[in-house]
């Protein structure tokens, strides 16, 4: 649809072709404007794999940013008389390998999240539209200028079961990062003492060892923190993570990012991601993406809990939950019910058969149970009972009362629009709250009893209610297992148990 005149590069008019005419499988743009954006999209729609020039060239920009920020910091040291210009130049040469590793890893993460977005694009088409509408409303985005689909085109793609192309997602990725960084900069989050570790991690360790005391005086300190945190969130959780939770919960972007960071650090997600990333050249790309997505899912589920239960408590929440969460991961195999144990072993053996190393396979098999971690840790804190007992009651409750069954059913419910998606997510959040409430009340009401006995006594005191619930669920037909309305009614029936429930006598 474009003419040579629109491209504005007369020297190449004689050799220019349309994107759909290329027969190569992959294109990397080492220079700028090898393609127009519409040319990239046309090539991608024809099956070609391509990012965008600003993605393939981003390491150069990233390297320049490191250089500038390093020179600003070391300039402070020179003015203080702590460093000479010659010593600065020597130090810059020494830390070059550190900067290179940092830059390459940043760009690996950016390419990786684009690949994950492409895989999930069809299911997120509505979330991309929401993001673009928000950016347009704020005067940040011009879809026509960026060759992004209009609202009508997005509706047509949704009807046709199509997602967005990789070049389109590359543009949205850039906008999502910049917009989030600006929102964080307008908040108090960049001033958090907890996030000083991110700033220290940005600079080479040899520089931090000698001049870390000057970081607080860096004139771009807040901008650096906001950018680092925004990149981290988008690179790990995706383009629409923040805007989805903002729209769904009404929370601010900084609150969502705070909850994400608590979840990331409590669950030790960075270590989990790195173990999967080490397998990139050993396993099929689809399997690596699956493993990454499972860790992402753990972080998102936990972030939702912290968003609702620990708003703004970044450092305190991490300090309170990190060690109990680590303990929980160690004891789950000892306290989980038999049904969960068998399912965990099936998940692990499937991964082992696909070539996943033992440690990673067994670790990933624990993730569904760990998603209940924040509630279990909170139940242990509030009742003063050991984490083992809180975990046993919470996990057993899901089997004794059909919470596990309803959670599995929610995973099969179609979500054709945002309201269905939000309703499913709300029901899942409520089931987790019911599980936590049952654990807390069972342990608090029966402090002298062991975990299994405490749960038994808790349910025995509510026997008529439990019997009504069982009769109701016995009437569930197979089609009800994927009916949002039926599952929502079942969740409502369970709600009194999470609040303690009506007891007898």
């Amino acid at each position: 649809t474009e003419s040579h005149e629109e491209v504005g590069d007369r020297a190449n008019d004689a050799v220019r072709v349309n994107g759909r005419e290329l027969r190569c499988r992959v294109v990397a743009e080492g220079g700028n404007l090898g393609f127009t954006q519409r040319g990239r999209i046309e090539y991608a729609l024809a099956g070609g794999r391509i990012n965008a020039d600003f993605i393939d060239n981003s390491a150069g920009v990233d390297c320049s940013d490191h250089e500038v920020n390093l020179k600003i910091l070391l300039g402070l040291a020179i003015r203080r008389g702590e460093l000479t210009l010659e010593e600065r130049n020597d130090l810059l040469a020494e830390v070059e390998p550190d900067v290179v590793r940092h830059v390459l890893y940043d760009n690996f993460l950016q390419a990786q999240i684009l690949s994950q977005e492409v895989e999930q694009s069809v299911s997120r088409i509505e979330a991309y539209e929401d993001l673009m509408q928000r950016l347009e409303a704020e005067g940040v985005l011009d879809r026509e200028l960026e060759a992004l689909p209009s609202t009508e085109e997005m509706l047509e793609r949704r009807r046709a079961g199509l997602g967005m192309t990789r070049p389109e997602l590359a543009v949205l990725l850039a906008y999502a990062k910049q917009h989030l960084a600006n929102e964080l900069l307008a908040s108090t989050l960049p001033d958090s003492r907890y996030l000083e570790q991110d700033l220290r991690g940005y600079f080479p360790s040899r520089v931090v060892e000698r001049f870390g005391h000057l970081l607080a005086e860096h004139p771009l300190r807040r901008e650096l923190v906001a950018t680092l945190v925004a990149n981290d969130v988008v690179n790990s959780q995706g383009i629409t993570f923040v805007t989805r939770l903002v729209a769904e919960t009404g929370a601010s972007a900084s609150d969502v990012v705070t909850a994400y960071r608590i979840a990331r650090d409590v669950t030790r997600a960075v270590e989990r991601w790195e173990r999967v990333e080490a397998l990139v050249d050993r396993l099929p790309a689809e399997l690596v993406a699956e493993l990454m997505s499972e860790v992402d899912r753990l972080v998102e589920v936990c972030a939702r809990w912290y968003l609702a239960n620990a708003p703004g408590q970044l450092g305190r929440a991490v300090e309170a939950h990190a060690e109990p969460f680590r303990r929980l991961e160690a004891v789950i195999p000892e306290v989980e019910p038999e049904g969960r144990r068998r399912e965990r072993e099936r998940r692990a053996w499937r991964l082992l058969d696909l070539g996943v190393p033992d440690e990673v396979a067994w670790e990933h098999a624990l993730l569904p149970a760990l998603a209940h971690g924040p509630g279990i840790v909170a139940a242990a804190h509030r009742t003063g009972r050991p984490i083992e007992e809180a975990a046993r009651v919470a996990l057993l409750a899901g089997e004794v009362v059909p919470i596990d069954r309803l959670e599995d059913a929610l995973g099969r419910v179609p979500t054709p629009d945002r309201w269905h998606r939000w309703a499913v997510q709300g029901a899942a959040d409520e089931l987790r709250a019911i599980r936590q409430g049952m654990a807390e009340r069972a342990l608090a009401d029966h402090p002298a009893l062991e975990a299994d006995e405490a749960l038994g006594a808790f349910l025995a005191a509510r026997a008529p209610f439990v019997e009504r619930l069982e009769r109701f669920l016995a009437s569930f037909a197979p089609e009800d297992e994927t009916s949002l309305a039926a599952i929502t009614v079942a969740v409502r029936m369970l709600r009194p148990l999470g609040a303690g429930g009506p007891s007898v006598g």
Side-chain angles (χ1 to χ4, degrees), residues 121-133 154-155 158 162 164 240 244 415-422:
S121 175
V122 173
S123 64
R124 291 183 176 175
I125 195 76
E126 192 175 54
Y128 298 135
E129 173 63 18
D130 289 346
L131 172 60
M132 288 191 286
Q133 286 188 2
M154 292 293 281
L155 286 170
R158 188 172 135 199
L162 300 174
M164 296 185 74
T240 62
R244 280 190 289 115
T415 53
D417 54 47
R418 72 168 63 87
W419 296 109
H420 280 80
R421 187 176 71 245
W422 290 356

Side-chain angles (χ1 to χ4, degrees), residues 346-359:
R346 276 195 294 270
R347 285 194 298 271
W349 283 111
R350 171 185 168 269
L351 294 175
L352 289 167
D353 288 344
L354 291 171
V356 177
D358 282 20
E359 181 185 1

